[in-house]
C-alpha cells in the first residue's frame, strides 16, 4: 500500500496559493474560453500548487483538507477565471468520491505516483451486465467537467439482476483510457471546462470499482479512513456545496470590476461626472455587495456544518443536510442577483467582447443552473422537512 507522510498547509496558505495564480488565470481566461479547455500552462500551475490534491487521501500524498478549504480556494480561483475554478472544484469533488471506494481501487487511482484527476457524472445513463469478477458497462454520460485533463472518471450506472431488473444505483470508477470523449460542450458560459460526454462501449469494471450510491449517501462505505476527518463528510451536502465556491468568486470579481470602474466611468445623459457620485449607483453597489456577503455567509455555514460533523465523526441529521443543500442554492441565487445588479450599474458596455464582465455573467449564469444546486429544489427539500412533510423528491439529501 502506498504511504506518504504529507505536511498539510493551512486553509490560508492554500487560498494564498490560489490568489498567486490569479494573474496567470486572468491572462489565460480568453484563451481558455476560445479553446474550450483549460490551458496546459494553467493545469501545470494548479498541479504544482497542489490544488488538485485538496481531497486526496494523505496516504497517497494528498492533503485531505475540508470543505471550507475547497470552497475558499475555488472562490479565489474564480476571481481569475470561472472555468478553471469550476474544474478544480469538480475534480476535487470527484477525487473525494474516488477515495470512498475500496482501498484496491484507491491504489489504482492515486497510487501510480502521478497526480490523479477524476471527473464524473452521477446520472445512471448506462446499462450494466454482471459477469465474473465485475460488470460489463455501456453508456454515455453528459457532462464531465475537466474531461480533457482527467485520468479517471466516476460514472453512474444502474445495477441489474439476472432478469435485467434494476436493483440498485451505483457509481463506477473507470480509467479515462477506457472511455471515449465526445466533444459536445458548446455552450454560452463556462466554455473552458471541457464538460464533454464520455462514452463506454462494453467496458469491464471489476467489482472493487463499483459501489452503491444509496449506501454511500447513508455513509455505508467499503473503505476506512478513520473515525473522523474529510471522508466522514456527508455525500449529498458535499456534492451540492462544492459547486458554490466558484459562484462566490465570480460575484466578487464582478463587484471588484464594477467598483473600480465607477470612479472614472460617467453615467451617460446625466450631470454625474462619475458613477461613484450617484446615490442610485451607491445603493445598487451596496445591495450587490450585501448579496455576495449573504452568499458567502450561507456557504460558510454549510461548510461548517459538514466539517464539524466530519471532525467529530458524527452524522449530519437529515434536516441539516437539507439546509446545506438549501444554503448552496440560496448562495447561488444571491450571487446571480448581485451580478445582474452590477450589470445594470455598469451599463451596456458590460456586454462588449473585450469586457471580462460579460464572461463572468455568462459563466455564473451557466454554472448557476446546475441541477444539484437548483435553488427552488433546495428550498422545497428543506421546506418539506421543516413542515414534517414525509414526501421525498430525491435521494440526494
Amino acid at each position: 500500500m502506498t504511504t506518504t507522510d504529507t505536511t498539510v498547509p493551512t486553509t490560508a496558505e492554500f487560498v494564498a496559493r490560489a490568489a498567486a495564480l490569479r494573474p496567470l488565470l486572468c491572462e489565460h481566461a480568453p484563451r481558455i474560453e476560445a479553446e474550450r479547455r483549460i490551458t496546459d500552462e494553467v493545469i501545470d500551475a494548479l498541479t504544482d500548487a497542489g490544488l488538485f490534491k485538496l481531497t486526496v487521501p494523505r496516504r497517497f500524498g494528498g492533503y485531505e483538507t475540508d470543505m471550507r478549504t475547497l470552497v475558499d480556494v475555488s472562490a479565489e480561483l474564480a476571481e481569475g477565471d470561472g472555468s478553471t475554478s469550476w474544474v478544480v472544484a469538480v475534480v476535487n469533488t470527484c477525487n473525494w468520491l474516488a477515495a470512498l471506494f475500496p482501498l484496491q481501487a484507491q491504489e489504482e487511482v492515486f497510487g501510480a505516483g502521478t497526480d490523479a484527476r477524476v471527473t464524473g457524472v452521477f446520472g445512471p445513463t448506462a446499462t450494466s451486465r454482471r459477469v465474473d469478477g465485475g460488470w460489463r458497462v455501456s453508456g454515455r454520460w453528459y457532462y464531465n467537467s475537466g474531461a480533457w485533463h482527467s485520468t479517471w472518471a466516476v460514472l453512474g450506472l444502474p445495477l441489474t439482476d439476472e432478469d435485467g431488473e434494476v436493483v440498485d444505483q451505483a457509481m463506477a470508477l473507470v480509467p479515462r483510457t477506457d472511455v471515449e470523449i465526445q466533444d459536445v460542450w458548446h455552450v454560452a458560459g463556462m466554455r473552458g471546462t471541457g464538460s464533454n460526454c464520455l462514452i463506454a462501449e462494453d467496458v469491464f469494471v471489476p467489482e472493487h470499482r463499483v459501489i452503491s450510491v444509496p449506501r454511500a449517501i447513508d455513509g455505508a462505505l467499503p473503505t476506512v479512513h478513520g473515525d473522523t476527518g474529510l471522508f466522514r463528510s456527508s455525500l449529498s451536502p458535499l456534492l451540492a456545496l462544492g459547486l458554490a465556491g466558484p459562484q462566490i468568486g465570480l460575484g466578487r470579481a464582478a463587484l471588484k470590476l464594477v467598483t473600480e470602474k465607477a470612479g472614472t466611468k460617467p453615467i451617460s445623459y446625466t450631470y454625474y461626472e462619475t458613477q461613484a457620485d450617484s446615490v442610485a449607483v451607491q445603493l445598487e453597489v451596496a445591495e450587490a455587495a450585501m448579496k455576495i456577503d449573504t452568499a458567502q455567509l450561507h456557504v460558510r455555514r454549510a461548510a461548517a456544518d459538514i466539517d464539524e460533523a466530519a471532525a467529530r465523526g458524527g452524522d449530519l441529521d437529515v434536516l441539516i443536510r437539507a439546509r446545506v443543500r438549501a444554503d448552496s442554492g440560496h448562495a447561488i441565487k444571491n450571487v446571480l442577483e448581485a451580478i445582474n445588479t452590477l450589470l445594470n450599474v455598469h451599463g451596456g458596455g458590460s456586454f462588449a467582447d473585450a469586457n471580462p464582465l460579460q464572461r463572468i455573467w455568462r459563466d455564473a449564469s451557466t454554472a448557476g443552473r446546475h441541477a444539484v444546486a437548483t435553488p427552488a429544489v433546495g428550498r422545497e427539500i428543506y421546506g418539506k422537512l421543516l413542515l414534517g412533510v414525509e414526501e421525498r423528491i430525491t435521494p440526494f439529501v
Side-chain angles (χ1 to χ4, degrees), residues 10-46:
T10 63
T11 298
E13 183 170 341
F14 280 122
V15 172
R17 293 183 189 184
L21 294 179
R22 198 185 307 151
L24 176 71
L25 301 188
C26 291
E27 176 191 345
H28 280 243
R31 192 174 137 205
I32 287 170
E33 176 159 270
E35 296 179 1
R36 296 184 299 112
R37 59 191 294 168
I38 310 300
T39 60
D40 290 342
E41 295 96 320
V42 168
I43 290 289
D44 290 345
L46 294 166

Side-chain angles (χ1 to χ4, degrees), residues 71-88:
V71 296
D72 282 1
V73 165
S74 56
E76 196 70 29
L77 292 173
E79 291 195 53
D81 178 59
S83 290
T84 299
S85 169
W86 184 264
V87 168
V88 169

